[in-house]
Amino acid sequence: MSEQQIDFTNDDVTLDSLPKAEDVIMKSLSPSYPTILIIVTLLMTAIPVIAITILSLLDAPVLIIHYTSWFYIGAAVFLIIGYFWSHLDAKHRGYAIREQDILYKSGVIWRNVIAVPFNRLQHAELHRGPLERLFKLSSLRLFTAGGLKADMTIPALPEIDAIRIREFVLASASKSA
């Protein structure tokens, strides 16, 4: 028997030859996403404001009544910041579907880009909360092997797009397996 010689190469890869994540064109989330964030901010603010108002109307301890106006000012500032933050946050979110994976970017201060390769995908589901149903939106949740929670959640996708993306992702995952 003759020995076969196998040529083994392990060439260096330069950083300049790698693809850049910044070059990927990301698709924006639904234009309704900031509105949903604003509604959530309003609800989060309304509950304590109503509680403080009721306590002050019931002649609660003097300490609460003394600081009620400051609490209302703080709530107003929180709502104003929440309004601008909602638009800023929505502007910095997006997704891209590629041949081998799906990307999701998020973050205003701390920016994240998550990539889920189709060959690691185990499960994909659509989630629709009350506000999402109101705006005819869905969140796509992607799960990889061994994960108990979603590895990627893309919120505020138009319902039809979310269904199409889920079907494509699952079909691509079954081809990769």
Side-chain angles (χ1 to χ4, degrees), residues 96 98 100-105 112-118 120 142 144 151-152:
R98 304 189 303 178
Q100 303 296 322
D101 60 11
I102 186 166
L103 302 174
Y104 177 64
K105 73 170 183 165
N112 298 314
V113 177
I114 301 171
V116 174
F118 295 140
R120 298 275 301 143
L142 302 177
T144 60
D151 293 290
M152 177 188 291

Side-chain angles (χ1 to χ4, degrees), residues 143-173:
F143 299 81
T144 60
L148 296 176
K149 62 180 186 124
D151 293 290
M152 177 188 291
T153 301
I154 304 174
L157 294 170
E159 191 176 342
I160 295 169
D161 291 348
I163 292 168
R164 289 179 50 219
I165 292 168
R166 179 181 178 268
E167 289 173 359
F168 175 79
V169 165
L170 290 174
S172 298

Side-chain angles (χ1 to χ4, degrees), residues 20-38:
K20 295 178 180 148
E22 302 88 37
D23 293 342
V24 176
I25 298 171
M26 297 281 193
K27 183 165 174 45
S28 299
L29 301 179
S30 169
S32 301
Y33 186 59
T35 305
I36 291 172
L37 294 178
I38 291 167

Side-chain angles (χ1 to χ4, degrees), residues 7 15 23 34-35 40 47 60 63-64 69 78 80 85 92 98 117-118 138-139 143 145-146 148 162 170 172 177:
D7 292 331
L15 289 178
D23 293 342
T35 305
V40 169
I47 293 169
L63 187 63
I64 293 174
S69 60
F78 181 75
I80 292 167
W85 186 264
H92 285 89
R98 304 189 303 178
F118 295 140
S138 296
S139 293
F143 299 81
L148 296 176
L170 290 174
S172 298

